[in-house]
Amino acid sequence: MAEYVPPQAVLSASEINIAFGAKPLIKDGTIAILEGERVGLVGRNGCGKSTFLKIAAGVIAPDSGQVTLRRGLLTGYLPQDFELEENLTVHEAVLRGATEIQALIEEYEESPAESPRAAFLLERIEQLEGWTLDSRAKSLLTNLNAPEPGRIVNTLSGGEKRRVALCRSLIARPDLLILDEPTNHLDTDSILWLEEFLARYQGTCIFVTHDRYFLDRVCNRIVEIHLGVFVSFPGNYTDYLIAQAEREAISEQTEHRRQKFLRSELEWVRRAPGARRTKSQDRVDRYFEAASQGPPEKASDADIILPPPKELGNRVISLKNVSAEANGRVLFSGLTLEVPAGGRIGIVGRNGSGKTTLLRILTGDQEPSTGTVEHGARSEINLIDQHRLQINHDKTVWDEVGEGRDTVKLGEESVSLRGYLRRFLFNEDQMKQLTGQLSGGERSRVLLAKILKRGGNVLLLDEPTNDLDLATLRVLEEALVRFQGTVIVVSHDRYFMNRVCTHVLAFETDGTLGYDVGNYDEYLARKASRSARPSTAPTPKPVAVSPPARAGRQQKLSWKEEREFEVMELRIQEAETALAEAELALHSPELYRRSAQEITAFQTHVETLRKDVARLFTRWDELEQKRAASELVS
């Protein structure tokens, strides 16, 4: 039986500090990434996710602290802002991601056949499967719907270049794969293929993405950058959301208990010193210590404002037998559609199928090849484009959004530009910052703030989810669901489409167009049923609902409960201290030098401590409510 070898850290960062100008991003951050892990890095826009990926890839160094990579580690990296050599073919550009393997092959071919060096090189090339580079490149280009291998890079669109760059990062099958928004500009089929590729990937992967289904299906660990520190959560994105909710509940309970303690002690502390001489000074010290702690710091959510739309008429947009061509190729034809007032249409399909072209036809920026498009008399169209071309990177956030005004008109009301920008999470310093100096997600928020203030009752959004953090995405989804106008959105974000859409217009792979009522999952179900024999759904059984029990007479605390209540605060404090120490150890690289069994056991121990704290708070609330009710009766 082979001896078990515990996973080792391929990357560790110890007490690193990162700042962007005067803005600190990561403060004394410590993290270890183990071999075989698939880590999703999450956090607010501008918190330092992309910066940390650059540090992990060796592109930049932290301001202080230490980053250690395993010796001989082969790394693949897809940055947000990538560069490709413009004069290369697509095939050549992809192979640039395997230069180390190509160098081994070149040296092997130039070495004497019988030399020890040639034997070593041959073994290493076969270990890296270097002889399959060309076939791997072809497979990647096909599965990620990338351009033809012979096309020249300088003829590609931005989205096509990004898919080529993704292929380049995957080609070498590196030990450590670092991906910054890998699903941007990928169609749904390509995202599904990438999910399967990473799920069976033998190396280690750390990535940033806004795609929540992707995080759920690929990750076995989530690391959040929260208020400058790394917070680790075992499991996928759903596990993270559950653990995050528990953490916030504990934090709220802690603050509730602190406020109750302050209220109960305030009157006594305010008395003249003479009235407290016989009291313990420790009680005074505990009060001021609790008062100085302050409430737990929380990250703010954006407050995305959609100006109240004007009432739509009976006709919004009518399309009759519309078709479109590009470079002599028919993108789609025979499209007849009456856009519903108040509907939210999601447009899906493979890249290059004509989705963005359809949006341009809907706005009137492009004439259809055949057919007619008619706008309703009351329809006011507002477009958010996917290429972010409407942002001037040489202007400040204030000038770009304000456009020469210091107020923003939202329907019949006017608000100050400063207040409007604060709703999009821009502070005073960021308002004066050039948009070109912002992160990709922050620039997306600038675009949203700029475009949405223009109003309109028909919103057209082309890939609005790209570069937005998950919290801002949730706020955008809620704003669109509440919007009383019509929304037409192109997106490959399946979760977003399920939350927002009431209709789906699909560009199918066989060149046909499908139109269904419902969200994305409902569209997929109907698509499957159209190609299969329909089955009769079973009649759902009625669910029995028990009537609420009548409230009985409140009982006083028993003697045993009185003693339990007296020591409850001390027990909670001890449990919180133990949890804080365990969570600190959980993020230490020292832990990940132990065996996998020890790591798993310690993670289970931390989860047990979290549940213990939550259980103690619940019990404390029960006793407190019972005691308060009995005092009220007496």
Side-chain angles (χ1 to χ4, degrees):
M1 183 175 179
E3 183 180 355
Y4 172 76
V5 180
Q8 301 296 312
V10 299
L11 179 150
S12 62
S14 178
E15 297 182 348
I16 63 171
N17 287 278
I18 308 167
F20 187 77
K23 177 185 177 183
L25 298 178
I26 298 176
K27 297 171 284 188
D28 296 324
T30 296
I31 187 175
I33 308 296
L34 299 183
E35 59 185 13
E37 282 195 308
R38 296 184 295 278
V39 178
L41 189 63
V42 301
R44 301 302 179 101
N45 288 143
C47 72
K49 300 187 298 294
S50 294
T51 302
F52 177 70
L53 292 190
K54 290 178 182 178
I55 290 173
V59 176
I60 61 174
D63 300 329
S64 63
Q66 185 176 3
V67 177
T68 304
L69 296 175
R70 192 181 68 192
R71 182 175 297 178
L73 192 73
L74 186 63
T75 301
Y77 176 43
L78 173 69
Q80 267 193 10
D81 301 318
F82 58 88
E83 292 184 0
L84 298 174
E85 296 181 49
E86 296 289 327
N87 60 336
L88 297 180
T89 65
V90 166
H91 182 76
E92 292 168 339
V94 171
L95 291 180
R96 282 290 194 269
T99 52
E100 295 180 41
I101 299 177
Q102 288 180 307
L104 292 174
I105 294 174
E106 185 176 341
E107 184 181 355
Y108 170 76
E109 291 175 343
E110 294 176 355
S111 299
E114 304 301 324
S115 66
R117 179 63 178 170
F120 167 78
L121 291 170
L122 179 59
E123 182 180 359
R124 180 61 176 157
I125 293 168
E126 290 178 344
Q127 182 184 16
L128 297 173
E129 300 182 40
W131 304 117
T132 65
L133 281 181
D134 285 336
S135 61
R136 276 149 60 181
K138 182 178 179 181
S139 174
L140 286 169
L141 291 169
T142 300
N143 286 299
L144 293 176
N145 194 26
E148 293 295 322
R151 288 186 59 185
I152 305 300
V153 168
N154 62 15
T155 67
L156 305 180
S157 67
E160 289 174 327
K161 288 181 179 179
R162 185 161 186 84
R163 294 195 292 279
V164 172
L166 177 57
C167 293
R168 182 181 63 178
S169 68
L170 300 176
I171 182 69
R173 295 178 183 169
D175 304 310
L176 176 61
L177 191 56
I178 303 169
L179 304 174
D180 199 346
E181 294 289 1
T183 62
N184 278 5
H185 302 294
L186 291 187
D187 53 55
T188 305
D189 290 341
S190 298
I191 293 173
L192 291 173
W193 180 88
L194 184 60
E195 285 176 358
E196 295 172 1
F197 176 89
L198 293 178
R200 63 177 185 270
Y201 184 63
Q202 297 299 311
T204 304
C205 182
I206 179 170
F207 56 85
V208 172
T209 181
H210 63 269
D211 191 316
R212 287 150 287 187
Y213 285 152
F214 190 89
L215 286 167
D216 239 8
R217 293 169 180 169
V218 175
C219 291
N220 53 27
R221 182 179 169 200
I222 298 290
V223 173
E224 179 184 13
I225 300 180
H226 179 68
L227 302 175
V229 298
F230 296 106
V231 185
S232 182
F233 299 86
N236 61 12
Y237 184 66
T238 297
D239 297 324
Y240 155 73
L241 290 179
I242 294 171
Q244 186 188 48
E246 292 174 351
R247 182 184 68 179
E248 290 177 354
I250 292 172
S251 178
E252 289 174 0
Q253 289 174 328
T254 301
E255 176 60 13
H256 172 72
R257 186 168 61 91
R258 188 182 74 90
Q259 291 293 343
K260 182 178 182 299
F261 171 76
L262 292 175
R263 286 193 300 269
S264 66
E265 296 292 284
L266 182 59
E267 181 180 352
W268 180 82
V269 171
R270 282 175 171 172
R271 293 175 189 170
R276 318 196 291 248
R277 284 174 184 160
T278 59
K279 301 293 184 180
S280 169
Q281 182 62 34
D282 289 343
R283 183 174 178 181
V284 181
D285 293 340
R286 284 198 304 270
Y287 171 82
F288 284 107
E289 181 182 359
S292 66
Q293 288 175 356
E297 188 176 354
K298 294 184 178 180
S300 300
D301 283 332
D303 184 11
I304 293 177
I305 304 174
L306 295 178
K310 295 180 181 179
E311 185 178 356
L312 286 162
N314 293 329
R315 169 175 290 171
V316 180
I317 305 176
S318 296
L319 297 91
K320 295 182 181 179
N321 295 319
V322 169
S323 66
E325 298 180 5
N327 300 319
R329 180 173 68 92
V330 176
L331 298 176
F332 59 88
S333 62
L335 176 58
T336 297
L337 177 65
E338 195 72 41
V339 175
R344 299 186 296 274
I345 300 177
I347 302 178
V348 300
R350 300 202 70 168
N351 290 315
S353 60
K355 302 184 300 297
T356 299
T357 299
L358 175 57
L359 289 189
R360 288 199 295 265
I361 290 174
L362 291 174
T363 61
D365 293 334
Q366 178 175 331
E367 290 294 326
S369 300
T370 61
T372 60
V373 177
E374 296 182 16
H375 295 131
R378 297 181 182 177
S379 297
E380 298 178 358
I381 296 176
N382 193 353
L383 170 68
I384 298 178
D385 78 329
Q386 86 183 93
H387 300 295
R388 311 301 194 246
L389 296 178
Q390 300 176 56
I391 292 181
N392 186 336
H393 290 177
D394 295 325
K395 286 187 176 181
T396 64
V397 173
W398 179 276
D399 292 334
E400 184 65 15
V401 177
E403 298 179 296
R405 297 177 179 272
D406 57 7
T407 60
V408 175
K409 192 163 181 64
L410 301 174
E412 300 299 322
E413 299 182 5
S414 291
V415 299
S416 71
L417 178 59
R418 180 171 281 100
Y420 180 73
L421 288 173
R422 282 176 179 160
R423 290 177 181 245
F424 286 85
L425 301 185
F426 293 109
N427 59 34
E428 293 290 334
D429 292 335
Q430 290 173 318
M431 292 178 196
K432 302 172 186 175
Q433 199 172 356
L434 295 178
T435 60
Q437 297 174 345
L438 302 176
S439 70
E442 289 170 329
R443 288 197 296 270
S444 291
R445 277 193 273 122
V446 170
L447 181 71
L448 286 174
K450 178 180 178 180
I451 302 302
L452 291 179
K453 71 183 179 68
R454 297 179 182 174
N457 51 20
V458 183
L459 297 183
L460 272 57
L461 302 95
D462 196 355
E463 295 291 358
T465 64
N466 285 354
D467 301 323
L468 290 180
D469 61 52
L470 298 173
T472 304
L473 264 180
R474 289 194 292 270
V475 176
L476 176 60
E477 289 164 355
E478 292 165 4
L480 291 174
V481 169
R482 293 193 305 265
F483 184 62
Q484 297 299 309
T486 294
V487 177
I488 302 175
V489 55
V490 171
S491 178
H492 299 304
D493 188 323
R494 297 152 291 175
Y495 192 99
F496 181 86
M497 300 288 271
N498 278 332
R499 282 287 313 274
V500 171
C501 294
T502 59
H503 302 73
V504 171
L505 176 63
F507 288 69
E508 308 284 8
T509 53
D510 60 1
T512 61
L513 291 167
Y515 185 68
D516 282 288
V517 176
N519 63 20
Y520 184 70
D521 281 349
E522 291 168 331
Y523 151 72
L524 289 179
R526 290 192 182 96
K527 179 182 177 183
S529 69
R530 283 193 289 266
S531 58
R533 185 177 179 178
S535 59
T536 304
T539 304
K541 296 180 179 180
V543 179
V545 181
S546 302
R550 292 184 179 181
R553 182 181 176 183
Q554 293 289 347
Q555 300 294 323
K556 292 183 179 180
L557 292 178
S558 66
W559 181 88
K560 183 178 179 181
E561 289 174 330
E562 286 280 6
R563 305 290 80 76
E564 182 183 5
F565 184 73
E566 287 177 359
V567 299
M568 184 60 72
E569 291 192 12
L570 178 61
R571 291 178 63 189
I572 290 174
Q573 184 178 3
E574 291 173 346
E576 286 180 324
T577 301
L579 176 59
E581 292 174 352
E583 287 183 328
L584 183 63
L586 185 64
H587 306 143
S588 171
E590 294 296 327
L591 172 66
Y592 297 96
R593 296 191 179 98
R594 303 181 191 176
S595 69
Q597 292 94 330
E598 290 178 303
I599 295 170
T600 302
F602 190 78
Q603 290 172 338
T604 303
H605 171 64
V606 173
E607 286 302 312
T608 301
L609 291 177
R610 287 174 179 154
K611 292 176 182 178
D612 286 345
V613 172
R615 178 181 54 79
L616 287 171
F617 270 118
T618 300
R619 180 57 178 161
W620 180 80
D621 279 337
E622 290 173 356
L623 294 173
E624 169 64 18
Q625 290 174 16
K626 191 172 182 180
R627 185 184 66 84
S630 63
E631 289 178 354
L632 184 62
V633 172
S634 62

